[in-house]
């Protein structure tokens, strides 16, 4: 895919996520059903935090595309590194986790995760925008753009840190309000809840590995580079004397 086409695509998806996040913010607190408490507002839900995460990622991706178009290569290299780290360690795993966990629980018993009373407050299209479309967009990103995955230890440390931070936020809200963010948690004993949290950490690590596998299968096994990446590497040759060597996908080689 040409860089200009990628720039248009990333800008459209960025605007989409901004629009969805804004639509969620328009839901008035007084309209919320009794099952939804006010503390933390919408920022206590992983679904909403994921929308912000995706908006940030696609905004950075659009910026990287623009810098490549105007040949600001040193700046583009730094932004692309940030883009790839954000996608590999957070954007893809969290989007996929949100899709999988929501629809599995919704199919089993929607009251555990998305009470029926929310239907009168959140339109169906917005529900799907938050919980369904996130996965096709994440998968499309893998097919549209080659991403340089970081060393696995680095990627999993970042993913683990963010996961623990969110679990800490959920536990803090419970300690303050005596209510769980998700009704599902009320059915667990403390030991069962710890086991559930650990199983979710295992799941999201598995999702990370799936994203890395797909990226390698689509881009890493190719003998020749996509035109956009080859062009980028040719441009980098002009400033290579002062830069570290690149691998064939444009990733910096990491000896650690």
């Amino acid at each position: 895919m040409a860089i200009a086409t990628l720039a248009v695509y990333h800008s459209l998806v960025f605007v989409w996520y901004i629009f969805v996040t804004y639509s969620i913010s328009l839901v008035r607190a007084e309209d919320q059903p009794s099952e939804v408490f006010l503390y933390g507002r919408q920022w206590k839900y992983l679904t909403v935090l994921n929308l912000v995460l995706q908006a940030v990622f696609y905004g950075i991706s659009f910026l990287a595309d623009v810098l490549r178009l105007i040949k600001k290569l040193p700046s583009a290299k730094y932004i692309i590194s940030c883009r790839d780290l954000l996608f590999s360690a957070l954007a893809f795993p969290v989007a996929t986790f949100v899709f999988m966990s929501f629809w599995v629980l919704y199919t089993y018993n929607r009251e555990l995760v998305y009470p029926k009373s929310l239907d009168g407050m959140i339109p169906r299209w917005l529900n799907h925008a938050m919980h369904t479309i996130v996965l096709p967009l994440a998968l499309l990103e893998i097919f549209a753009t080659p991403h340089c995955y970081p060393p696995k230890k680095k990627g999993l440390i970042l993913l683990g840190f963010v996961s623990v931070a969110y679990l800490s936020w959920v536990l803090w809200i419970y300690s303050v309000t005596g209510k769980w963010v998700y009704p599902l948690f009320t059915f667990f004993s403390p030991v069962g809840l710890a086991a559930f949290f650990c199983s979710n950490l295992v799941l999201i690590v598995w999702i990370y590995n799936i994203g890395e596998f797909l990226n390698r299968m689509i881009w890493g096994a190719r003998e020749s580079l996509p035109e956009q990446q080859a062009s980028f590497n040719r441009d980098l040759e002009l400033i290579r004397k002062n830069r570290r060597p690149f691998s064939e996908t444009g990733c910096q080689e990491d000896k650690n």
Side-chain angles (χ1 to χ4, degrees), residues 66 103 198 210 254:
V66 171
W103 287 112
C198 288
I210 290 296
D254 197 319

Side-chain angles (χ1 to χ4, degrees), residues 4 7 20 31 33-34 37 46 52 67-68 99 110 115-116 150 179 184 227 232 256:
V20 174
D31 293 336
S34 58
F37 56 93
L46 183 60
V52 176
L67 290 175
R68 291 173 66 184
F99 174 90
R110 66 170 298 176
K116 192 174 181 60
K179 297 180 180 179
L184 169 69
E227 181 180 349
F232 184 51
N256 297 324

Side-chain angles (χ1 to χ4, degrees), residues 23-33 36 38 41-42 121-122:
S23 299
I24 285 292
S25 70
L26 294 180
V27 177
R28 298 186 303 174
E30 55 269 27
D31 293 336
Q32 297 180 2
V36 179
L38 297 180
R41 299 181 62 82
Q42 68 266 34
M121 182 179 67
I122 299 177

Side-chain angles (χ1 to χ4, degrees), residues 4 103 120 129 153 166 184 189 205:
W103 287 112
K153 181 178 179 181
Y166 179 69
L184 169 69
S189 65
V205 168

Side-chain angles (χ1 to χ4, degrees), residues 35 37 44-47 97 101-102 105 108-115 163-175 177-201:
E35 296 92 337
F37 56 93
K44 58 180 174 285
Y45 298 111
L46 183 60
T47 294
F97 180 82
S101 59
F102 177 82
L105 292 172
Y108 174 72
N109 182 356
R110 66 170 298 176
E111 295 299 321
L112 297 177
V113 65
Y114 193 83
S163 299
V164 171
Y166 179 69
L167 290 179
S168 300
W169 172 229
V170 170
L171 292 172
W172 169 260
I173 291 174
Y174 178 76
S175 70
T177 65
K179 297 180 180 179
W180 288 111
V181 173
Y182 304 101
L184 169 69
F185 295 167
T186 60
F187 295 95
F188 289 105
S189 65
V191 174
L193 194 60
F196 179 77
F197 287 159
C198 288
S199 65
N200 277 275
L201 287 174

